[in-house]
Amino acid sequence: MSSTKRQLSVPHQSYRNKQKGNYAQENKWLCGKSSKNDSRDTASAQVLDDLESPDSNAPLGLEIKTPLTKCFALYKYDDCVKIIEGEKQSATCTNILFPNHTQIARRRPCGELLLKVVKLSDGSKCLYPFKTYCYKSIEQSLEQLLRVPDFQRKCEKWRERRQETGIMTDVFDGKIWKEFHLSDKKNFLKSEKNYGIMLNLDWFQPYEHVRYSVGVMYAVVLNLPREERFKLKNVILLGIIPDIGGEPPVQSFVAPLVDELKVAWERGFELCSYESPEIKLTYKFALMCVGCDIPATRKLCGFLGHTAKLGCSKCTKIFSGDFGARNYSGFDTENWIARDVQEHRRNMLQIQAARTKTERERLESIYGIRYSPLCDLDYFDPIRMSTIDPMHNFYQGTAKMMIKVWLELDIINAEKLREIQEKVDSVDAASNIGAIPKKNCLIINEADIRKFQSLIKKFCTEFEKEYGEERVTPNMHLHCHVADCIRDYGPVYSFWLFSFERYNGHLGSLPNNNRSIELQIMRRFNRDAFVNSTELPLLYKDTLSKHFVIRSQDSTERSCSSNDILRILYLSKRSAPIENQDWTNISAYHYTKAVVDVLSDEEQNVLKDMYRTIYPELQNASVPSSCRRCSVVSLSGEVFGSEKSRHKRSSYVMAYWNKPGGNILNEVGEGELTPGIIEKFIVHNLIVGDENNIHLLAKIRWMIPDANRLRHYCGEPVEVWSSNMHETNGPSAYMPVQRIFCRYVRANGNISGKPVAFVCPLNRGMNV
């Protein structure tokens, strides 16, 4: 198959299209650094064949550049070879770090060799790069996604959602997204076919028991609904940075992406799509979020590390003390001065103009920043558009550190840890506690954010007071900036990095021969992406689908909109009236294995009383004894089980529904949150005249509170309830599932020899 060449608008960038159409294409950039093993493996041989034979039939197009030991500059492979007296030899690096240095001797090129000599099995020699940086054009990757059925429609679906004032359900409700609707950002998001991108950079070790770390750049399209956004099939693998004895500066590796993003912002890419397979249309893209762990964020966005005096990427607070012993205490947040993006750009220009390394490092230390190619994007704000990841900041940061401090101070020891473990084992928690749900539809409002700000500041202040300022960490300082990230990007589930961490695990699990791992990962990922984006011929689909993991175009799961979630959340609140609501709207709920069942006479009478309470004006209604029984119900990934199902631990729910005597709370704003255990779910048809009114109801056994003096024995939010006493079987025994307020964790214990149940409410899977 013949190959074609095409020059992109990016400087010094080209690629070879090995197959016409939308086949996955891959760009290779090479870097020079000494290697312990100069033997040539199979994967390397294939790459070298591609480089030396422009018309070869290799499956993937290649592009070559190289970062070096000292300066990490990038080169095309053709520029790395020179012919001297008919013999190929390696060129040397011509990069000059400080072309305006005050000393002439310092203006010399780097001068290191770009290629090494490799002896082949037949005795001949060839030139081969020291290291290879694999980069795939974001233009090609996005076109590949656009060719997937429904991708473009899903990217525009956010425009149909109804926004409630003060309510944030996703990135679309954040300040950043809204600002891209304004003239300052060219009204970017007001036009269809304009997409926002989130960028992630992370390092991981692909080998076990071997110190070899590679960096991976990912991107996702923020326009996608959250349940689709972070799926592996929608992830773009941009580049793989080879191991260079640690985590190198990333400026050289990000530069080709920035060149493409400039084009994507100014004039866009002409691309084909599933909806327009023959005629190319203009699509524009903008980098709207950088989400990484703290070290990677600082590298990408041009900030110094936390050991610097100006070690915060959000404010100009000065951390006193010597290098390695900084003082991060002090949480007078009202006196913290936020960094200004205009001043940030002016300071960066000074750093770029530095004539010597000493001058550059001095300026970097003064301003707490360094040059980043991302700042060449005039619309990009590195201060606000770089998030603080809650996973690293809270869970892997402060939570882990707290255990360490307690162990150091002997607040807990091995014996106490065993006692804690025994108590943990006695807790009946929902099955998804400790695991990240596959899908989340979570909501937050400004009141929640302010409450979080107050509580996290109180925690940090009390920690400093209790354990001393020397134990205060940079993570604690960053805790106080997380609220602004939420205001800019919505609930933390919109931008935290759990998904990207899973991608690292996926790449590390791909088969390889332990050689040229960067090349193999990129090839395998691109091959799988191409196969998964290919629509198989109907004639051979059944045969071929057995050999490929094909994307499912249909989904059996019920999806629910933000409006559905908002409505359900409203109905679960104490302030929501119970009477005459639309309890028949159950389209957002998913249940399976519903079997035909018949209610007993007592159950039927109780059900009649329940209907009379919630529909007081109802007349000529028939309450059949027949129904369908099911044991598990889910709502946008949140599972509710029943007492005799395998999801028993998810059958513990709380609601504003029951009042003493088994009656229903029908007074608005009154009553208390009561825990209960779901016995079963029923799908029941209330017949009114000729109309069928389908309800999804939970039959619940409500708990009785213990004596008032014991109710708050453990302090909020844990409450003490009777472990073996329940309400009588009254109208409140049946409840519409929309009224479920939350689940709870239960642990049985005793107080002064009396058996009790400890109850701790859990946040909804739809609330923060």
Side-chain angles (χ1 to χ4, degrees):
M1 184 179 297
S2 63
S3 64
T4 61
K5 292 187 177 180
R6 169 186 167 197
Q7 283 295 125
L8 298 184
S9 56
V10 187
H12 306 299
Q13 185 172 349
S14 64
Y15 72 99
R16 292 190 336 195
N17 185 356
K18 294 312 230 173
Q19 290 192 9
K20 294 182 179 179
N22 67 333
Y23 197 94
Q25 295 149 6
E26 174 184 358
N27 298 331
K28 303 283 190 288
W29 307 64
L30 312 178
C31 49
K33 182 169 178 158
S34 58
S35 175
K36 296 180 180 179
N37 187 354
D38 284 352
S39 61
R40 185 178 179 209
D41 54 70
T42 304
S44 302
Q46 178 62 61
V47 173
L48 195 57
D49 290 341
D50 289 340
L51 303 181
E52 295 177 340
S53 306
D55 295 323
S56 67
N57 292 326
L60 297 172
L62 301 175
E63 179 181 356
I64 320 289
K65 289 200 173 185
T66 22
L68 299 177
T69 307
K70 295 180 180 178
C71 61
F72 302 101
L74 297 176
Y75 291 86
K76 295 180 184 179
Y77 181 80
D78 291 343
D79 296 337
C80 299
V81 180
K82 61 183 180 180
I83 307 296
I84 299 180
E85 297 181 354
E87 182 179 351
K88 290 183 178 181
Q89 294 187 15
S90 172
T92 57
C93 179
T94 59
N95 186 43
I96 303 174
L97 288 176
F98 297 97
N100 299 317
H101 201 286
T102 55
Q103 301 176 14
I104 296 177
R106 301 285 186 178
R107 302 176 198 166
R108 294 173 182 172
C110 173
E112 289 203 356
L113 290 174
L114 301 177
L115 303 173
K116 62 185 176 182
V117 178
V118 177
K119 187 176 181 180
L120 304 181
S121 56
D122 61 1
S124 61
K125 297 180 180 179
C126 68
L127 297 174
Y128 193 73
F130 289 96
K131 291 286 182 177
T132 304
Y133 171 43
C134 304
Y135 175 78
K136 182 176 180 182
S137 164
I138 192 171
E139 178 183 5
Q140 301 167 36
S141 299
L142 290 169
E143 183 168 33
Q144 191 172 31
L145 288 175
L146 287 168
R147 288 182 177 273
V148 175
D150 266 359
F151 179 85
Q152 188 170 345
R153 182 188 63 80
K154 290 176 180 177
C155 284
E156 303 296 342
K157 193 175 179 181
W158 65 273
R159 300 181 188 276
E160 304 170 4
R161 54 196 299 277
R162 187 185 71 183
Q163 291 183 295
E164 297 283 344
T165 303
I167 298 293
M168 305 178 74
T169 64
D170 203 349
V171 65
F172 315 122
D173 302 315
K175 290 182 179 179
I176 295 294
W177 193 266
K178 293 177 180 178
E179 287 171 9
F180 272 79
H181 285 75
L182 305 178
S183 57
D184 289 348
K185 294 290 194 294
K186 298 182 179 181
N187 302 312
F188 182 77
L189 288 173
K190 285 189 176 180
S191 302
E192 294 188 0
K193 301 191 290 295
N194 286 4
Y195 301 151
I197 301 295
M198 178 179 181
L199 180 66
N200 171 263
L201 171 65
D202 199 7
W203 273 264
F204 76 99
Q205 296 189 9
Y207 304 126
E208 292 184 3
H209 316 301
V210 177
R211 292 180 63 86
Y212 190 95
S213 181
V214 299
V216 185
M217 277 197 300
Y218 304 101
V220 294
V221 180
L222 292 173
N223 299 57
L224 286 169
R226 185 164 50 195
E227 61 268 21
E228 293 285 334
R229 186 179 306 146
F230 296 106
K231 286 184 177 179
L232 187 60
K233 67 180 182 180
N234 294 323
V235 175
I236 299 171
L237 179 58
L238 290 170
I240 302 180
I241 302 172
D243 180 86
I244 312 179
E247 297 183 6
V250 299
Q251 287 91 335
S252 296
F253 304 105
V254 177
L257 172 63
V258 172
D259 289 337
E260 286 196 275
L261 288 173
K262 289 178 182 178
V263 178
W265 173 258
E266 293 296 336
R267 64 173 183 267
F269 297 137
E270 300 296 319
L271 305 175
C272 292
S273 66
Y274 178 80
E275 297 182 6
S276 179
E278 301 297 334
I279 301 176
K280 291 188 175 183
L281 302 175
T282 301
Y283 294 84
K284 291 187 176 183
F285 303 90
L287 178 62
M288 295 178 60
C289 179
V290 172
C292 316
D293 60 20
I294 298 304
T297 298
R298 304 291 170 86
K299 288 176 181 289
L300 272 176
C301 295
F303 298 99
L304 298 188
H306 64 273
T307 56
K309 285 188 176 181
L310 284 169
C312 178
S313 60
K314 300 292 184 181
C315 72
T316 57
K317 178 179 171 64
I318 296 177
F319 300 132
S320 60
D322 297 328
F323 181 84
R326 300 291 185 199
N327 186 337
Y328 302 101
S329 64
F331 297 96
D332 52 338
T333 55
E334 62 278 3
N335 296 323
W336 294 359
I337 301 175
R339 287 183 180 267
D340 178 73
V341 66
Q342 300 303 326
E343 183 181 359
H344 181 90
R345 291 184 181 278
R346 289 193 297 269
N347 295 339
M348 189 167 289
L349 288 175
Q350 290 186 47
I351 293 172
Q352 283 184 271
R355 303 176 68 182
T356 66
K357 181 179 180 182
T358 301
E359 182 184 0
R360 184 186 67 187
E361 291 178 347
R362 181 184 66 84
L363 291 172
E364 289 176 348
S365 178
I366 291 174
Y367 300 129
I369 63 174
R370 57 169 56 94
Y371 169 69
S372 168
L374 293 182
C375 290
D376 293 342
L377 302 170
D378 56 8
Y379 63 85
F380 182 74
D381 184 342
I383 301 167
R384 290 180 58 204
M385 294 184 187
S386 57
T387 61
I388 299 170
D389 173 45
M391 180 188 73
H392 290 93
N393 187 234
F394 290 105
Y395 303 150
Q396 294 185 354
T398 298
K400 185 176 180 180
M401 183 275 304
M402 288 299 302
I403 299 297
K404 181 180 178 181
V405 170
W406 289 338
L407 289 171
E408 288 177 355
L409 299 178
D410 201 33
I411 295 175
I412 57 175
N413 50 36
E415 182 179 350
K416 289 182 178 178
L417 285 175
R418 283 193 294 270
E419 182 180 347
I420 291 172
Q421 187 61 52
E422 289 176 0
K423 291 184 177 180
V424 170
D425 293 340
S426 70
V427 172
D428 252 344
S431 56
N432 68 334
I433 300 299
I436 303 301
K438 293 182 179 180
K439 294 195 299 181
N440 292 290
C441 260
L442 300 125
I443 292 174
I444 195 169
N445 57 40
E446 180 59 32
D448 295 327
I449 298 175
R450 289 197 296 268
K451 183 178 180 181
F452 162 76
Q453 277 185 299
S454 174
L455 292 175
I456 202 65
K457 181 178 178 179
K458 180 180 179 182
F459 163 78
C460 293
T461 303
E462 292 297 322
F463 178 91
E464 179 184 339
K465 180 180 178 181
E466 181 71 21
Y467 300 109
E469 62 182 29
E470 69 279 0
R471 283 194 168 90
V472 176
T473 65
N475 274 323
M476 291 184 178
H477 174 86
L478 292 176
H479 289 346
C480 298
H481 290 298
V482 171
D484 289 331
C485 293
I486 296 173
R487 291 186 176 99
D488 282 337
Y489 288 101
V492 294
Y493 306 92
S494 302
F495 59 87
W496 70 4
L497 304 182
F498 281 103
S499 295
F500 292 108
E501 293 293 329
R502 289 197 292 267
Y503 304 153
N504 288 344
H506 171 75
L507 295 184
S509 67
L510 294 177
N512 64 81
N513 63 0
N514 296 331
R515 300 286 187 89
S516 302
I517 184 68
E518 299 87 4
L519 306 180
Q520 295 186 62
I521 288 177
M522 182 62 89
R523 285 179 177 276
R524 182 62 180 262
F525 189 93
N526 285 336
R527 186 199 69 182
D528 291 349
F530 167 69
V531 170
N532 288 336
S533 65
T534 301
E535 194 170 7
L536 298 179
L538 292 176
L539 184 60
Y540 304 105
K541 188 169 185 177
D542 292 340
T543 302
L544 293 176
S545 61
K546 299 176 183 178
H547 305 284
F548 297 100
V549 180
I550 303 298
R551 289 180 180 156
S552 174
Q553 303 299 335
D554 301 313
S555 175
T556 58
E557 294 185 10
R558 294 175 185 263
S559 60
C560 48
S561 66
S562 298
N563 294 338
D564 293 332
I565 297 299
L566 290 172
R567 181 63 182 169
I568 291 170
L569 282 177
Y570 169 72
L571 290 175
S572 69
K573 293 181 178 180
R574 177 164 53 182
S575 58
I578 290 176
E579 296 179 356
N580 299 319
Q581 299 284 358
D582 183 12
W583 299 110
T584 62
N585 186 0
I586 60 174
S587 60
Y589 291 87
H590 179 66
Y591 55 89
T592 58
K593 299 181 180 179
V595 297
V596 176
D597 196 12
V598 177
L599 301 173
S600 66
D601 291 341
E602 182 183 6
E603 288 178 322
Q604 188 177 16
N605 290 330
V606 168
L607 195 55
K608 289 179 180 178
D609 291 338
M610 188 273 292
Y611 281 131
R612 291 192 190 101
T613 303
I614 64 176
Y615 302 124
E617 300 176 359
L618 190 64
Q619 296 180 355
N620 301 321
S622 173
V623 182
S625 61
S626 61
C627 65
R628 286 181 292 156
R629 184 184 75 252
C630 56
S631 58
V632 179
V633 169
S634 64
L635 173 64
S636 189
E638 185 178 30
V639 176
F640 300 100
S642 56
E643 190 174 22
K644 295 183 180 180
S645 72
R646 63 186 183 92
H647 291 279
K648 177 184 176 180
R649 290 182 297 171
S650 296
S651 67
Y652 303 132
V653 297
M654 304 184 78
Y656 294 104
W657 183 258
N658 176 71
K659 67 179 181 181
N663 295 310
I664 297 175
L665 285 170
N666 52 7
E667 300 87 4
V668 177
E670 296 186 4
E672 60 183 1
L673 196 60
T674 305
I677 304 172
I678 297 176
E679 295 183 2
K680 64 180 178 181
F681 296 97
I682 65 169
V683 182
H684 188 264
N685 182 17
L686 175 66
I687 303 174
V688 182
D690 295 332
E691 294 183 359
N692 295 320
N693 298 274
I694 308 299
H695 293 73
L696 180 58
L697 308 171
K699 185 178 182 184
I700 302 177
R701 191 167 68 253
W702 298 103
M703 298 174 66
I704 295 178
D706 209 293
N708 287 333
R709 64 184 180 85
L710 297 179
R711 180 73 172 273
H712 301 290
Y713 178 85
C714 301
E716 293 185 353
V718 178
E719 296 182 357
V720 177
W721 291 72
S722 174
S723 63
N724 52 14
M725 296 178 64
H726 301 88
E727 287 285 4
T728 56
N729 192 22
S732 66
Y734 285 97
M735 183 184 76
V737 291
Q738 298 95 322
R739 193 67 180 178
I740 296 175
F741 185 81
C742 67
R743 292 178 300 180
Y744 66 89
V745 173
R746 170 176 175 160
N748 292 323
N750 64 80
I751 299 177
S752 301
K754 179 181 179 181
V756 295
F758 298 100
V759 171
C760 181
L762 294 174
N763 288 325
R764 283 295 299 266
M766 301 179 301
N767 208 342
V768 180

